[in-house]
Amino acid sequence: MAIKVLVVDDSSFFRRRVSEIVNQDPELEVIATAFNGAEAVKMAAELNPQVITMDIEMPVMDGITAVREIMAKCPTPILMFSSLTHDGAKATLDALDAGALDFLPKRFEDIATNKDEAILLLQQRVKALGRRRIFRPTVRPTAPTPPPRQSANAVLGGTATHAQPAPAPVRSSPATSIRPSGKQYKLLLIGTSTGGPVALQKILTQFPANYPHPILLIQHMPAAFTPAFANRLNGLCKIEVKEAANGDVLRPGCAYLAPGGMQMMVERAGVTGRVKVLAGSAEMNYKPCVDITFASASKAYGGDVLAVVLTGMGADGREGARMLKSAGATIWAQDEASCVVYGMPQAVASAGIATQSISLDNMAESILKESARG
């Protein structure tokens, strides 16, 4: 049975175009359209759609208010459409805080290389949200694309082997069952995509100001959004959070967010680690790419890394995590039940790379226990 979709936008052209694209996929069906947030709230309650696409700026009731009301009355996976501006980024983050799960630029062609890819991108996002078996409004937001056409191994000249996936994923572990390994880490890596903004906020706001290691964050997100996201996290967290810049020296208790549209790598000279930000290969679909950052960390820090793969579509992070594990690093994945989309964590867990599969509710506590210096 097709996934039922409600399309909400004050532009008749955009409602029609989104509806056409959604209905091209036999697994999707637009059951209604609405031209403002108030109408969307009413239709959501009456029609029970499985996914809602929502504009932000609308008359009568804006999209953020509509998201809050829908989440309170009839929680439904919501995909926001946003302008690629600073104000659009802030509004989108507000919508994710309100309960929306994902977003796309209002001109989603802007993040695709061609028209066909843009169409597929929208269809994939809607299907990913519509396939959620259980909706949990406490786990929300963002943004991946189709699988990369080229692996991090090819780009970076890595030599990691491509082992066959293990037959069974790791079981989810409660925080109380996580016993610190006693390893002395020098770096924490966190990679994520759809659902990542809220997941990262939930985790990082629990870290103390004296967290003992530098943190690299790789979140699939457009270039216009990462400065606003870093600023928001910095205002909410005890640790410092900043958008990474080329040449940044890694400091304990500071999180460096990979800039949208770029690749973030890490280099090391003696005890000093530095961030390297570059455009990277045009053949990489993900910018930033979790595989790229993870792979560079495997060369710079070897086994002195704790790497965590959170909610997201696709398999970005699997090959970089494989390289890290080969170097002796510790790899964890978010568990299926707490993911918005169980794609990236599943890829790592199913391949036998992750040693723990942990709920989002327990992730911060688990990281803090494992990161504590003996």
Side-chain angles (χ1 to χ4, degrees):
M1 184 175 293
I3 295 168
K4 299 184 293 182
V5 183
L6 170 63
V7 175
V8 185
D9 199 288
D10 62 333
S11 163
S12 59
F13 169 79
F14 203 74
R15 289 198 306 272
R16 182 172 65 253
R17 184 64 187 127
V18 170
S19 297
E20 288 172 352
I21 292 173
V22 169
N23 284 328
Q24 284 177 24
D25 192 308
E27 297 180 43
L28 302 173
E29 178 189 5
V30 174
I31 57 170
T33 64
F35 65 90
N36 63 50
E39 195 174 55
V41 173
K42 182 174 181 289
M43 288 186 174
E46 292 176 351
L47 303 177
N48 193 30
Q50 291 164 274
V51 180
I52 299 172
T53 70
M54 182 81 71
D55 191 21
I56 290 179
E57 296 182 7
M58 294 180 291
V60 184
M61 181 186 290
D62 64 87
I64 298 171
T65 304
V67 169
R68 289 196 184 100
E69 293 209 11
I70 290 170
M71 299 305 290
K73 297 175 180 177
C74 49
T76 307
I78 298 175
L79 172 69
M80 302 302 298
F81 282 111
S82 166
S83 62
L84 284 175
T85 65
H86 178 70
D87 288 343
K90 291 176 64 178
T92 302
L93 292 171
D94 287 340
L96 298 179
D97 281 345
L101 293 183
D102 198 4
F103 71 89
L104 279 174
K106 190 73 182 279
R107 281 176 43 85
F108 44 93
E109 294 89 348
D110 291 342
I111 58 172
T113 56
N114 56 59
K115 181 180 178 181
D116 289 341
E117 183 180 324
I119 290 171
L120 181 62
L121 183 65
L122 174 57
Q123 293 170 342
Q124 285 179 331
R125 298 293 185 82
V126 174
K127 284 192 286 189
L129 298 186
R131 286 170 178 160
R132 299 192 72 217
R133 288 174 295 187
I134 300 175
F135 180 67
R136 292 173 174 80
T138 55
V139 183
R140 308 156 188 157
T142 202
T145 41
R149 291 186 287 265
Q150 188 175 1
S151 74
N153 288 327
V155 174
L156 296 173
T159 57
T161 58
H162 290 69
Q164 292 299 312
V170 226
R171 293 182 178 179
S172 179
S173 303
T176 53
S177 72
I178 302 295
R179 295 187 176 182
S181 65
K183 288 185 65 173
Q184 297 295 302
Y185 298 101
K186 293 184 172 63
L187 185 66
L188 171 64
L189 306 175
I190 305 179
T192 185
S193 186
T194 308
V198 168
L200 288 172
Q201 180 175 312
K202 185 177 181 68
I203 292 169
L204 296 176
T205 51
Q206 297 181 60
F207 282 19
N210 63 346
Y211 181 79
H213 312 301
I215 306 161
L216 297 185
L217 308 174
I218 311 95
Q219 162 74 58
H220 293 166
M221 188 173 271
F225 282 63
T226 45
F229 184 42
N231 287 339
R232 174 166 298 204
L233 287 176
N234 189 55
L236 294 170
C237 296
K238 298 181 182 70
I239 62 170
E240 180 183 352
V241 183
K242 70 182 299 289
E243 185 182 46
N246 191 49
D248 277 345
V249 176
L250 297 184
R251 294 181 287 109
C254 184
Y256 304 82
L257 178 69
M262 304 292 284
Q263 301 296 356
M264 178 173 70
M265 300 173 68
V266 60
E267 300 176 321
R268 194 174 176 191
V271 297
T272 304
R274 291 182 182 272
V275 170
K276 183 177 180 181
V277 175
L278 67 166
S281 170
E283 297 182 4
M284 296 299 294
N285 276 350
Y286 297 115
K287 291 185 179 182
C289 174
V290 180
D291 276 330
I292 293 289
T293 306
F294 278 21
S296 71
S298 73
K299 296 179 179 181
Y301 284 86
D304 298 331
V305 175
L306 173 60
V308 180
V309 179
L310 301 178
T311 173
M313 278 176 57
D316 187 24
R318 180 180 58 199
E319 298 311 317
R322 196 190 304 276
M323 296 174 71
L324 279 166
K325 186 171 184 179
S326 296
T330 301
I331 313 297
W332 289 354
Q334 184 177 342
D335 73 350
E336 181 176 8
S338 65
C339 282
V340 172
V341 179
Y342 189 53
M344 289 165 55
Q346 182 182 38
V348 174
S350 298
I353 299 169
T355 57
Q356 299 284 350
S357 187
I358 301 170
S359 167
L360 178 60
D361 286 340
N362 298 326
M363 188 64 78
E365 181 184 352
S366 300
I367 292 172
L368 292 175
K369 283 183 176 181
E370 180 67 11
S371 300
R373 297 190 185 279

